[in-house]
Amino acid sequence: MIVTPLDSAVLDSKEQYVFYHRMIDFTLKELIVAVQQKALLSQQEVLLFKQYCDLLLYSIEAMRVKYMYDDEENMKVDLTDSGFPNYLEFRYLFNDLGLRDSYLGKLTDIEVLKDEFLDTLLRKKEPIAKRKLFQAASIVYYSSAKKEYIFNRFVQGKIIQAPQGSAGQYLVSWSFYEVSHNRPFICYMYFDYDGSDPQKEREEIYTALKNVADREMALDMMAYGIDKRLANVFPKLIKRVDLGPIHNVFAKDENKVTHVILDGISKKTIPLESYAISVQIDEVTSKSEFKEGSFFSKQTFQKWDTVFKQRYVFAPHRIIQLLYNKTPEIMNKLAKPPLELASLTMK
């Protein structure tokens, strides 16, 4: 799918910023808890899942501070099967913070700004001008946000020892932001290694993952691409979590779950802050091995089983009832009945 500017909406008021960021923060935190409680991932995978989601939350909070009082620029939210910020917003954050020192040098000194605020509020008894609020927000943004915590186009996790009883001896994770969908994907690979320590080849492993597994594709193709590039790495299980879309009032797509929510909001049968989250977990396992190549340079490859796909929907109780009523054919094909999350209440 090709994403165009028409597929994005800008948040152009303080109220919209507050509403959107509260919704994303709330829904992602609810999702983390639910994934752990329902054991959709292993204990180690949940810990890694939470770390990647924390990067997302940190980045979105940085966007909130960056844009809150900016009259010239507005944050773009993707409308098509996403609900997350447009991927360019993450790139802008990363680029901004790379020039942090340059920007901070051009901003008004924080002590001068404090004195101006106190004089305006206490002596003049006037509200702070929006221009001054933007200056203050910029100081907070550039002085507190850390470049290393921004969710980048590709985020590499470390190679660790896999828990006992896992499909492979080692586990490596990574995440990427798929630009065609504007959604984050989180991946895990369990593997064996022909050698004493895979850390000796970690740079080669990380490079292969970034070059081969940094976008959405058929999971068995991804597995084959990784396997082919790394002669001493034997992948045994690859798991990929497709995080989203977040179905909410900002969405504009052909997804049936989204349409049910938008229809309910328009008819005022459900509140404006109603939401649901779709998550798909795909996994593929190695069922056997074969050797290929000449006598002197044979490489062992994996034969991959059929990709196993599981789709889940998370939503508050009222939304689950509505979805069963309006889209039973979707609800009945889920890996588990819809998983209940708390309702979001906006005051």
Side-chain angles (χ1 to χ4, degrees):
M1 177 173 56
I2 298 174
V3 179
T4 71
L6 294 176
D7 298 320
S8 295
V10 295
L11 302 181
D12 57 5
S13 72
K14 184 175 180 180
E15 291 72 22
Q16 285 187 352
Y17 276 104
V18 171
F19 186 96
Y20 177 76
H21 288 94
R22 173 102 186 272
M23 171 174 283
I24 296 298
D25 184 77
F26 181 87
T27 54
L28 281 179
K29 287 176 179 175
E30 281 287 305
L31 180 65
I32 292 168
V33 173
V35 166
Q36 183 171 13
Q37 288 180 342
K38 301 301 180 182
L40 303 186
L41 299 171
S42 71
Q43 188 173 1
Q44 182 62 59
E45 289 166 358
V46 167
L47 290 175
L48 295 167
F49 179 80
K50 183 179 183 300
Q51 288 174 13
Y52 291 116
C53 286
D54 283 345
L55 291 180
L56 275 171
L57 289 167
Y58 184 93
S59 302
I60 293 169
E61 171 61 15
M63 290 177 199
R64 184 189 71 82
V65 175
K66 175 182 178 180
Y67 286 114
M68 180 62 81
Y69 298 103
D70 191 346
D71 287 327
E72 296 180 1
E73 299 288 341
N74 296 298
M75 197 183 93
K76 294 181 177 63
V77 176
D78 189 77
L79 302 177
T80 56
D81 275 334
S82 173
F84 287 95
N86 187 286
Y87 84 97
L88 287 172
E89 296 295 347
F90 292 92
R91 182 187 293 180
Y92 295 154
L93 282 182
F94 202 74
N95 292 344
D96 280 353
L97 297 175
L99 300 170
R100 172 209 302 272
D101 293 340
S102 172
Y103 281 119
L104 280 174
K106 296 175 183 177
L107 294 172
T108 305
D109 183 86
I110 191 167
E111 293 302 323
V112 173
L113 206 57
K114 279 183 183 178
D115 290 341
E116 289 181 8
F117 276 28
L118 290 172
D119 183 63
T120 301
L121 292 170
L122 300 179
R123 188 178 68 82
K124 297 180 181 177
K125 300 191 183 305
E126 296 175 352
I128 305 296
K130 198 167 184 180
R131 177 178 58 84
K132 292 294 183 182
L133 291 173
F134 178 57
Q135 286 182 347
S138 296
I139 291 172
V140 172
Y141 170 58
Y142 286 112
S143 60
S144 62
K146 307 289 186 186
K147 184 178 178 181
E148 58 269 27
Y149 298 146
I150 300 301
F151 195 98
N152 207 353
R153 170 75 179 77
F154 182 88
V155 183
Q156 179 64 65
K158 295 179 180 178
I159 297 170
I160 60 174
Q161 196 82 22
Q164 192 171 4
S166 298
Q169 187 178 357
Y170 301 98
L171 168 63
V172 64
S173 66
W174 67 98
S175 184
F176 59 88
Y177 208 78
E178 173 56 67
V179 298
S180 64
H181 299 308
N182 283 293
R183 293 202 305 267
F185 288 71
I186 298 168
C187 304
Y188 309 89
M189 182 175 77
Y190 293 85
F191 66 96
D192 291 335
Y193 179 71
D194 184 13
S196 59
D197 185 2
Q199 299 294 346
K200 294 176 181 177
E201 289 189 48
R202 65 178 179 273
E203 294 307 321
E204 291 85 349
I205 294 171
Y206 295 162
T207 299
L209 294 177
K210 187 171 184 178
N211 290 338
V212 175
D214 68 334
R215 66 194 75 91
E216 188 196 19
M217 65 181 76
L219 199 58
D220 50 357
M221 279 183 57
M222 178 191 285
Y224 175 75
I226 296 170
D227 193 22
K228 188 175 182 180
R229 288 214 175 198
L230 300 166
N232 296 323
V233 170
F234 305 127
K236 296 299 178 184
L237 166 66
I238 296 180
K239 186 180 292 190
R240 181 178 65 201
V241 181
D242 178 357
L243 186 53
I246 300 177
H247 313 276
N248 62 76
V249 70
F250 291 100
K252 185 186 74 176
D253 55 46
E254 297 177 2
N255 193 297
K256 290 183 179 179
V257 174
T258 301
H259 275 228
V260 169
I261 291 175
L262 292 179
D263 184 60
I265 291 173
S266 67
K267 293 177 179 176
K268 299 188 177 179
T269 57
I270 55 175
L272 188 67
E273 56 266 29
S274 297
Y275 73 94
I277 308 173
S278 290
V279 172
Q280 183 164 307
I281 301 177
D282 297 347
E283 58 182 82
V284 63
T285 56
S286 167
K287 61 180 181 179
S288 62
E289 296 179 345
F290 67 96
K291 292 184 183 292
E292 192 176 88
S294 67
F295 179 80
F296 295 103
S297 60
K298 283 190 175 181
Q299 184 175 341
T300 301
F301 292 102
Q302 311 298 308
K303 285 186 178 178
W304 297 99
D305 208 342
T306 304
V307 177
F308 182 49
K309 300 183 178 184
Q310 300 176 91
R311 189 183 174 209
Y312 303 90
V313 169
F314 301 77
H317 181 68
R318 175 71 187 90
I319 308 303
I320 291 174
Q321 289 180 316
L322 189 63
L323 291 171
Y324 265 123
N325 185 35
K326 299 289 188 180
T327 58
E329 72 283 1
I330 294 177
M331 298 300 102
N332 293 331
K333 290 180 181 178
L334 298 174
K336 289 187 178 218
L339 302 163
E340 186 173 344
L341 303 181
S343 297
L344 171 62
T345 303
M346 292 288 190
K347 294 181 180 179

PDB file of all heavy atoms in Angstrom, residues 115-126:
ATOM      1  N   ASP A 115      11.912  34.276  34.671  1.00  0.00           N
ATOM      2  CA  ASP A 115      11.645  35.622  35.194  1.00  0.00           C
ATOM      3  C   ASP A 115      10.510  36.286  34.408  1.00  0.00           C
ATOM      4  O   ASP A 115       9.647  36.958  34.996  1.00  0.00           O
ATOM      5  CB  ASP A 115      12.916  36.481  35.107  1.00  0.00           C
ATOM      6  CG  ASP A 115      13.987  36.038  36.095  1.00  0.00           C
ATOM      7  OD1 ASP A 115      13.632  35.328  37.060  1.00  0.00           O
ATOM      8  OD2 ASP A 115      15.169  36.377  35.884  1.00  0.00           O
ATOM      9  N   GLU A 116      10.508  36.105  33.086  1.00  0.00           N
ATOM     10  CA  GLU A 116       9.445  36.682  32.256  1.00  0.00           C
ATOM     11  C   GLU A 116       8.092  36.075  32.620  1.00  0.00           C
ATOM     12  O   GLU A 116       7.073  36.783  32.699  1.00  0.00           O
ATOM     13  CB  GLU A 116       9.752  36.453  30.777  1.00  0.00           C
ATOM     14  CG  GLU A 116      10.912  37.277  30.245  1.00  0.00           C
ATOM     15  CD  GLU A 116      11.155  37.027  28.763  1.00  0.00           C
ATOM     16  OE1 GLU A 116      10.324  36.337  28.129  1.00  0.00           O
ATOM     17  OE2 GLU A 116      12.167  37.525  28.234  1.00  0.00           O
ATOM     18  N   PHE A 117       8.057  34.770  32.854  1.00  0.00           N
ATOM     19  CA  PHE A 117       6.807  34.092  33.217  1.00  0.00           C
ATOM     20  C   PHE A 117       6.278  34.618  34.550  1.00  0.00           C
ATOM     21  O   PHE A 117       5.091  34.928  34.691  1.00  0.00           O
ATOM     22  CB  PHE A 117       7.040  32.578  33.329  1.00  0.00           C
ATOM     23  CG  PHE A 117       6.957  31.855  31.999  1.00  0.00           C
ATOM     24  CD1 PHE A 117       7.271  32.501  30.815  1.00  0.00           C
ATOM     25  CD2 PHE A 117       6.575  30.526  31.935  1.00  0.00           C
ATOM     26  CE1 PHE A 117       7.216  31.854  29.597  1.00  0.00           C
ATOM     27  CE2 PHE A 117       6.497  29.857  30.726  1.00  0.00           C
ATOM     28  CZ  PHE A 117       6.825  30.518  29.552  1.00  0.00           C
ATOM     29  N   LEU A 118       7.175  34.717  35.532  1.00  0.00           N
ATOM     30  CA  LEU A 118       6.757  35.191  36.855  1.00  0.00           C
ATOM     31  C   LEU A 118       6.263  36.633  36.791  1.00  0.00           C
ATOM     32  O   LEU A 118       5.258  36.992  37.427  1.00  0.00           O
ATOM     33  CB  LEU A 118       7.928  35.076  37.839  1.00  0.00           C
ATOM     34  CG  LEU A 118       8.328  33.638  38.239  1.00  0.00           C
ATOM     35  CD1 LEU A 118       9.615  33.645  39.051  1.00  0.00           C
ATOM     36  CD2 LEU A 118       7.197  32.980  39.032  1.00  0.00           C
ATOM     37  N   ASP A 119       6.945  37.470  36.029  1.00  0.00           N
ATOM     38  CA  ASP A 119       6.541  38.875  35.897  1.00  0.00           C
ATOM     39  C   ASP A 119       5.157  38.974  35.239  1.00  0.00           C
ATOM     40  O   ASP A 119       4.308  39.762  35.681  1.00  0.00           O
ATOM     41  CB  ASP A 119       7.569  39.629  35.056  1.00  0.00           C
ATOM     42  CG  ASP A 119       7.239  41.108  34.960  1.00  0.00           C
ATOM     43  OD1 ASP A 119       7.231  41.788  36.004  1.00  0.00           O
ATOM     44  OD2 ASP A 119       6.965  41.569  33.824  1.00  0.00           O
ATOM     45  N   THR A 120       4.940  38.165  34.208  1.00  0.00           N
ATOM     46  CA  THR A 120       3.646  38.194  33.501  1.00  0.00           C
ATOM     47  C   THR A 120       2.518  37.689  34.390  1.00  0.00           C
ATOM     48  O   THR A 120       1.434  38.290  34.440  1.00  0.00           O
ATOM     49  CB  THR A 120       3.733  37.324  32.225  1.00  0.00           C
ATOM     50  OG1 THR A 120       4.769  37.819  31.393  1.00  0.00           O
ATOM     51  CG2 THR A 120       2.415  37.357  31.466  1.00  0.00           C
ATOM     52  N   LEU A 121       2.759  36.603  35.126  1.00  0.00           N
ATOM     53  CA  LEU A 121       1.701  35.994  35.937  1.00  0.00           C
ATOM     54  C   LEU A 121       1.438  36.756  37.235  1.00  0.00           C
ATOM     55  O   LEU A 121       0.280  36.976  37.612  1.00  0.00           O
ATOM     56  CB  LEU A 121       2.072  34.535  36.262  1.00  0.00           C
ATOM     57  CG  LEU A 121       2.083  33.551  35.080  1.00  0.00           C
ATOM     58  CD1 LEU A 121       2.686  32.230  35.498  1.00  0.00           C
ATOM     59  CD2 LEU A 121       0.665  33.331  34.543  1.00  0.00           C
ATOM     60  N   LEU A 122       2.504  37.150  37.923  1.00  0.00           N
ATOM     61  CA  LEU A 122       2.340  37.736  39.254  1.00  0.00           C
ATOM     62  C   LEU A 122       2.174  39.250  39.237  1.00  0.00           C
ATOM     63  O   LEU A 122       1.367  39.801  39.983  1.00  0.00           O
ATOM     64  CB  LEU A 122       3.537  37.354  40.134  1.00  0.00           C
ATOM     65  CG  LEU A 122       3.740  35.840  40.346  1.00  0.00           C
ATOM     66  CD1 LEU A 122       4.961  35.591  41.206  1.00  0.00           C
ATOM     67  CD2 LEU A 122       2.498  35.212  40.978  1.00  0.00           C
ATOM     68  N   ARG A 123       2.968  39.929  38.397  1.00  0.00           N
ATOM     69  CA  ARG A 123       2.874  41.380  38.403  1.00  0.00           C
ATOM     70  C   ARG A 123       1.821  41.888  37.417  1.00  0.00           C
ATOM     71  O   ARG A 123       0.932  42.655  37.776  1.00  0.00           O
ATOM     72  CB  ARG A 123       4.247  42.000  38.076  1.00  0.00           C
ATOM     73  CG  ARG A 123       4.274  43.532  38.247  1.00  0.00           C
ATOM     74  CD  ARG A 123       5.650  44.093  37.958  1.00  0.00           C
ATOM     75  NE  ARG A 123       6.024  43.968  36.553  1.00  0.00           N
ATOM     76  CZ  ARG A 123       5.624  44.836  35.590  1.00  0.00           C
ATOM     77  NH1 ARG A 123       4.839  45.853  35.898  1.00  0.00           N
ATOM     78  NH2 ARG A 123       6.022  44.672  34.350  1.00  0.00           N
ATOM     79  N   LYS A 124       1.902  41.431  36.175  1.00  0.00           N
ATOM     80  CA  LYS A 124       0.948  41.892  35.174  1.00  0.00           C
ATOM     81  C   LYS A 124      -0.395  41.162  35.250  1.00  0.00           C
ATOM     82  O   LYS A 124      -1.396  41.662  34.738  1.00  0.00           O
ATOM     83  CB  LYS A 124       1.544  41.706  33.774  1.00  0.00           C
ATOM     84  CG  LYS A 124       2.807  42.517  33.519  1.00  0.00           C
ATOM     85  CD  LYS A 124       3.330  42.261  32.112  1.00  0.00           C
ATOM     86  CE  LYS A 124       4.598  43.049  31.844  1.00  0.00           C
ATOM     87  NZ  LYS A 124       5.158  42.745  30.493  1.00  0.00           N
ATOM     88  N   LYS A 125      -0.365  39.964  35.887  1.00  0.00           N
ATOM     89  CA  LYS A 125      -1.574  39.137  36.021  1.00  0.00           C
ATOM     90  C   LYS A 125      -2.229  38.866  34.655  1.00  0.00           C
ATOM     91  O   LYS A 125      -3.429  39.030  34.461  1.00  0.00           O
ATOM     92  CB  LYS A 125      -2.576  39.781  36.985  1.00  0.00           C
ATOM     93  CG  LYS A 125      -2.017  39.973  38.385  1.00  0.00           C
ATOM     94  CD  LYS A 125      -3.076  40.364  39.374  1.00  0.00           C
ATOM     95  CE  LYS A 125      -2.482  40.635  40.756  1.00  0.00           C
ATOM     96  NZ  LYS A 125      -1.702  39.521  41.290  1.00  0.00           N
ATOM     97  N   GLU A 126      -1.367  38.499  33.721  1.00  0.00           N
ATOM     98  CA  GLU A 126      -1.824  38.177  32.368  1.00  0.00           C
ATOM     99  C   GLU A 126      -1.438  36.735  32.025  1.00  0.00           C
ATOM    100  O   GLU A 126      -0.484  36.189  32.601  1.00  0.00           O
ATOM    101  CB  GLU A 126      -1.172  39.128  31.341  1.00  0.00           C
ATOM    102  CG  GLU A 126      -1.567  40.586  31.509  1.00  0.00           C
ATOM    103  CD  GLU A 126      -0.792  41.479  30.552  1.00  0.00           C
ATOM    104  OE1 GLU A 126       0.142  40.957  29.878  1.00  0.00           O
ATOM    105  OE2 GLU A 126      -1.094  42.686  30.493  1.00  0.00           O
TER     106      GLU A 126
END
